[in-house]
Amino acid sequence: MELELKRDAIHCFETVADVTICQEETQEAIVPDACPDILRIVEVCGQACLTGKQAREGMATVSGMVRASVLYLPETGGCLRHMELSVPFTCQVEAPGLTSQGTILADPRLRWAEARVLNPRKILLRVDLAVEIRACQPCERTICQGVESAEEHGIRQLQEEQTTDQIIAVQEKPFTFTDGVDLGLSEGGELLSLRGEPSCEESRLIGSKLIFKGSVELHALLRDADGTLRTARESMPFSQIIEVPGAGEDAECEVRVVLTDLNAPAIGTTVGSAEVTLELLAQAVVRSQRPVTMLQDIYSTGWMLEVQTEEHTMRQVVDQSIRPQSVREILETTTLVRNAIDGWLSLGEIRQSREGDQMILSAEVLITALYLDDGEELQSVQTDCRLDCPVQAVCQCWCTAPGELAVVPAAGGLEVRFTLEFHCLCLAERRQAAISSARLGEERAKPDGTQPSVVLRMAAPGERLWDIAKAYGTTTEEITQANELEEGCLPTGRMLLIPRVR
């Protein structure tokens, strides 16, 4: 006869893929008729935007667009010119267990972009992307808690109270906002490039509402009417709410905001105060510690049992922190630097490796700077660096670069300074076996004249009172009472009376 078990249904999300895809896209482009012939390409400024995501059977797909501004010097001489290009991209990653009901979280970043002159009217543009993709699949986990009507068949059960960390919600919200910005560009000046860097600075749960705040830092490269190049920064703050039904205020939330579109005055136009429209996507993951009662073992004092078990993954947060690192690098140049014009950094892949008991996170950072050399020629320089951060256990990590990138002339080139923050969530995982089904078998043999009603024996090292009671079909209470033991205490090196249930 099958025993009726009490079961606890846990509704959560499992991460079935969490990777960073690095890929390169190329595109040939013709110089527009309104632009002069190209003499030399100085630099390419770009922005990666997320345009679409799709979850299907075993596969996650992310698509987007790179908007690039190619800065060049014309053959006719004169000041810096530019041309605007758009490069679409699509990347896929295998995600076993993912279905169309899953949710894809994505964050595309432009690692670097470069252009090569094929002829004065044609260029080859290359962009290199790092796309973080995380696929989350809703699931229901069933854990057996105990037996219904356990006393009816002399059922004894061993239960354990535990907690497990789980993702209880994966939500997203697209939103748009428009604001006026003043880049300080006077008449006759020109906007050469514009980038937006969104970030979420604060998030918290109040009831079923997830409130998050942040800003988009606009970074503009400008040329004034007199030909002077300079940069301008403007911050556009935002505040939004996402409904998260069933989440308590003690839950932890992670919100990341990505840019899906940026509408501003056309690059090259004269702007003073102008309206900028940002289209953004907030992606939220909500985690919670949940209590779980697990039926670890079972037996009957009157019947033999046929028992099936299954393993469950239990997770515990061992560290959740932000680890900042201050960085100072020298970008070597082949000529003397007269003036630093602009600088920006791009974050690439976050790699994990193990050294002994420690997990080492390595972040790839690419730094680009524009400068005037001693001949007043505009030049650019790039370098990359790797930063390590030790952590423990299974780690989920992403990086941000808050604040500005400082670029100043230095001996031998340019000195750059910035702060990188590792956002770490470290989870300890362990597999825990629990009863999944139980069935009554044959009746236990009762003590008779050939079988003793009391057994005398010592406890083996590591043996529990439960193990002894189960082996002889008795109860822990009977053994405790017969040996006048304190509750939960099993002495070593002492003979125990084990009464058999009649």
Side-chain angles (χ1 to χ4, degrees), residues 138 255 364 368 455:
V255 181
E364 179 186 52
T368 306
V455 176

Side-chain angles (χ1 to χ4, degrees), residues 33 51 61 63 88 118 139 163 198 223 228 233 267 269 328 336-337 360 363 419 438 446 469 487:
D33 293 339
T51 59
T61 303
S63 56
L118 300 178
C139 63
T163 59
R223 184 180 61 234
T228 302
R233 286 181 175 268
I267 303 298
T269 58
R328 175 184 176 275
L336 181 65
V337 176
I360 304 297
T419 298
K446 301 294 184 181
E487 186 175 353

